[in-house]
Amino acid sequence: MLTKPSSQQPGPDTARFRAVLGHFPSGITAITSRDAQGGPVGMTVASFTSVSLTPPLVAFLPGKTSSTFPVIAERGTFCVNVLATGQERICRALSVSGGDKFAEVPWRPGPHGDPVIDGVVAWIDCGIEAVHDAGDHYIVIGRVNDLDADSTASPLLFFRSRYNHLVSA
């Protein structure tokens, strides 16, 4: 069942919205692909989720101002890399615009040739199924083709504007 769009009443200011939603911890993913020349491209994204088991679908939400997402969209395939504790440097490298983001990021080609970063908690190889408009972001639905995980690795988390990690009880 689809719902009707909400009324156009103004919401909270962006600073308050960001501050409050920063209280929701999220994992950090690196979405990677290749450009037209075969070079690696990537971006960090905290807005990642599973969507469906049948068919296997995931989603991520890149900003519309991203210069990396159009390259990924052009290729049509991507790899979700779930970053591990200790990979803050990789997160920062893939968060900046321009330059060689992969200069010091060790990786190997995944099933579609898209970068699988060494030491990640998990990787998920996908093809773009659909892209939907969502305010100042897109919702990108990916069909999962292959995936793997390292059950011994712990995820890098983002909470209250800081990097965090899980602590065993």
Side-chain angles (χ1 to χ4, degrees):
M1 177 160 118
L2 298 175
T3 59
K4 293 181 181 179
S6 63
S7 65
Q8 297 298 327
Q9 295 181 11
D13 68 70
T14 56
R16 182 168 178 233
F17 184 77
R18 183 183 297 250
V20 170
L21 288 165
H23 286 75
F24 179 72
S26 63
I28 303 172
T29 62
I31 308 297
T32 60
S33 191
R34 296 282 191 110
D35 64 19
Q37 293 74 40
V41 297
M43 59 194 288
T44 56
V45 174
S47 54
F48 168 77
T49 189
S50 67
V51 174
S52 170
L53 289 173
T54 307
L57 301 174
V58 296
F60 72 97
L61 286 72
K64 288 184 177 176
T65 60
S66 169
S67 59
T68 303
F69 178 64
V71 178
I72 294 169
E74 174 80 19
R75 178 164 171 92
T77 64
F78 62 92
C79 185
V80 179
N81 293 266
V82 180
L83 296 182
T85 299
Q87 291 188 315
E88 294 94 343
R89 180 184 57 76
I90 292 172
C91 180
R92 286 186 188 97
L94 297 179
S95 295
V96 298
S97 292
D100 183 359
K101 294 181 181 186
F102 284 83
E104 296 188 31
V105 175
W107 62 276
R108 64 178 172 77
H112 284 111
D114 301 321
V116 173
I117 298 171
D118 291 353
V120 294
V121 173
W123 59 266
I124 305 155
D125 179 78
C126 302
I128 293 177
E129 184 84 1
V131 178
H132 303 282
D133 187 77
D136 59 359
H137 282 69
Y138 295 110
I139 300 170
V140 180
I141 307 294
R143 182 179 290 261
V144 177
N145 298 310
D146 200 0
L147 67 169
D148 201 8
D150 176 354
S151 61
T152 64
S154 294
L156 179 62
L157 302 175
F158 203 67
F159 179 66
R160 294 185 185 162
S161 301
R162 292 194 320 253
Y163 296 114
N164 290 270
H165 62 275
L166 295 175
V167 177
S168 298

